[in-house]
Amino acid sequence: MTFQYASPPSAVSPQHVLEPPAPSAVFVVVTVRPGAEDSIRDFLGGIGGVIRAVGFRAKAAGLSCVTGIGADLWDRLFPGKRPAKLHPFKELKGGTNVAPSTPGDLLFHIRSQRTDMSFELARQLINQISESVDVVDEVHAFRYFDQRDILGFVDGTANPEDQLAVDSVFVGDEDPDFAGSSYVVVQKYLHDLPKWNSITVEEQQAAIGRHKLSDIEIPDADKAPDSHVILNTITGPDGKEQKIVRDNMVFGSVESGDFGTYFIGYAADPGVTETMLEHMFLGHGDATHDRILDFSTAVTGGLFFVPTQDFLDDPASVLGTQNQS
């Protein structure tokens, strides 16, 4: 994971999309009840104050929250103008592997150095809107050992850094009304750990495309065509690799036996993330699907727009008062 050293476009104030790795995270997805649009608009305008009030108790904890808005809710809240590439998450079906599209109007991605701070912010945010929303997914996640996922591999190595990270996640002049905003795709994956642990380390490395201990990428000539690295490497028409920023986290329950990865990928263009998922689930080149899907099942999927903090504070400054109901 990287964090922001360079400036976002147009000197706007983006949300805290680019942050250094945090040991604690909470992901909450809610749907908004019909008729609650006015209260949700008011809530979005005050969300910065809630974050500051909770975070002030322990500033060293680095508490932050990114708020994303789904396509359907956006049209209900701000019908006059829509971000150029905002749309519902597209379900993908490839053989036995499915990337489902699941309900979600608002996403809260909370990060902190302390679990209690993450929990408290989630509690306070939902308390503000409890009569207006239904929580459809809640995941309390954690950083696992030395940045590894539950499968034992370092996660996020390929994230861009510095100006490249900024350029990769923030909308620019291509959609000037929403410059400095971002798009985020989230999925919750459950892993079959007994099955994964039954194969050799060499087979695991072939499935990922990296060496497990050193995190060094396997040379391209030796990578399996269905390896995770191969299918998640996307190039544009100009031949340059297109990047997203991931902040995946581990979650699990000993009682239920559910262990998994919460995938979260930020991008200026959600099409980059969607192409990665298409390659994973539908295949690409000589691969019918990503080998990792033989051990992992996606159980949620959502696409959200992450407006700037300026927008959350005052949507009329971007949209104009005539566009708000």
Side-chain angles (χ1 to χ4, degrees):
M1 183 60 184
T2 186
F3 58 96
Q4 184 176 318
Y5 286 104
S7 299
S10 305
V12 297
S13 299
Q15 294 192 61
H16 289 263
V17 170
L18 297 178
E19 290 287 324
S24 168
V26 178
F27 304 93
V28 182
V29 176
V30 306
T31 54
V32 175
R33 298 170 188 168
E37 290 79 12
D38 288 344
S39 63
I40 292 300
R41 271 191 295 267
D42 291 342
F43 163 75
L44 292 175
I47 194 171
V50 179
I51 297 169
R52 289 189 294 272
V54 176
F56 187 78
R57 306 182 196 181
K59 288 190 174 182
L63 181 67
S64 69
C65 175
V66 173
T67 301
I69 304 172
D72 293 340
L73 179 63
W74 182 276
D75 291 340
R76 292 161 57 191
L77 296 180
F78 313 112
K81 188 180 296 184
R82 180 193 267 203
K85 297 184 178 180
L86 179 60
H87 56 263
F89 183 84
K90 302 171 185 176
E91 182 178 272
L92 299 172
K93 293 184 178 180
T96 59
N97 299 307
V98 178
S101 177
T102 51
D105 290 326
L106 291 173
L107 165 72
F108 303 107
H109 176 199
I110 299 169
R111 287 174 277 193
S112 178
Q113 298 295 312
R114 288 173 41 173
T115 301
D116 59 337
M117 296 294 287
S118 298
F119 170 79
E120 179 65 7
L121 181 55
R123 188 176 73 88
Q124 292 293 347
L125 289 175
I126 298 305
N127 184 59
Q128 294 266 327
I129 52 175
S130 60
E131 296 183 356
S132 301
V133 305
D134 295 297
V135 177
V136 294
D137 193 38
E138 178 183 356
V139 175
H140 295 250
F142 53 91
R143 194 67 61 183
Y144 194 59
F145 291 112
D146 50 345
Q147 310 299 326
R148 295 181 185 269
D149 59 26
I150 198 72
L151 301 179
F153 284 79
V154 176
D155 200 351
T157 303
N159 273 346
E161 297 184 346
D162 305 335
Q163 187 62 50
L164 180 56
V166 171
D167 295 340
S168 297
V169 302
F170 292 125
V171 173
D173 293 339
E174 69 276 12
D175 194 5
D177 287 333
F178 296 101
S181 301
S182 187
Y183 295 87
V184 61
V185 171
V186 295
Q187 292 177 296
K188 184 165 65 176
Y189 286 88
L190 297 179
H191 303 311
D192 186 340
L193 290 186
K195 184 178 180 181
W196 174 255
N197 291 325
S198 71
I199 66 175
T200 66
V201 170
E202 290 74 19
E203 290 175 303
Q204 293 178 355
Q205 292 175 161
I208 299 298
R210 288 185 177 276
H211 293 282
K212 192 171 186 177
L213 179 61
S214 68
D215 188 40
I216 299 299
E217 192 170 313
I218 295 171
D220 287 345
D222 299 327
K223 286 191 183 82
D226 61 353
S227 69
H228 188 64
V229 170
I230 284 287
L231 293 177
N232 278 267
T233 300
I234 307 299
T235 55
D238 58 1
K240 293 183 179 180
E241 185 176 349
Q242 296 180 305
K243 293 282 191 177
I244 67 172
V245 169
R246 301 168 177 83
D247 194 16
N248 302 346
M249 298 285 279
V250 174
F251 66 90
S253 167
V254 175
E255 179 184 12
S256 67
D258 290 339
F259 302 96
T261 298
Y262 199 95
F263 165 77
I264 180 163
Y266 290 98
D269 179 0
V272 178
T273 314
E274 290 172 322
T275 301
M276 293 179 178
L277 296 179
E278 288 170 3
H279 288 184
M280 287 180 63
F281 284 85
L282 306 181
H284 181 68
D286 294 330
T288 59
H289 64 277
D290 192 323
R291 173 75 167 126
I292 202 172
L293 294 179
D294 292 337
F295 311 92
S296 308
T297 301
V299 294
T300 69
L303 168 63
F304 301 87
F305 180 70
V306 179
T308 63
Q309 188 60 52
D310 304 310
F311 179 92
L312 290 179
D313 292 342
D314 184 14
S317 65
V318 174
L319 301 180
T321 54
Q322 72 275 12
N323 292 317
Q324 297 186 66
S325 58

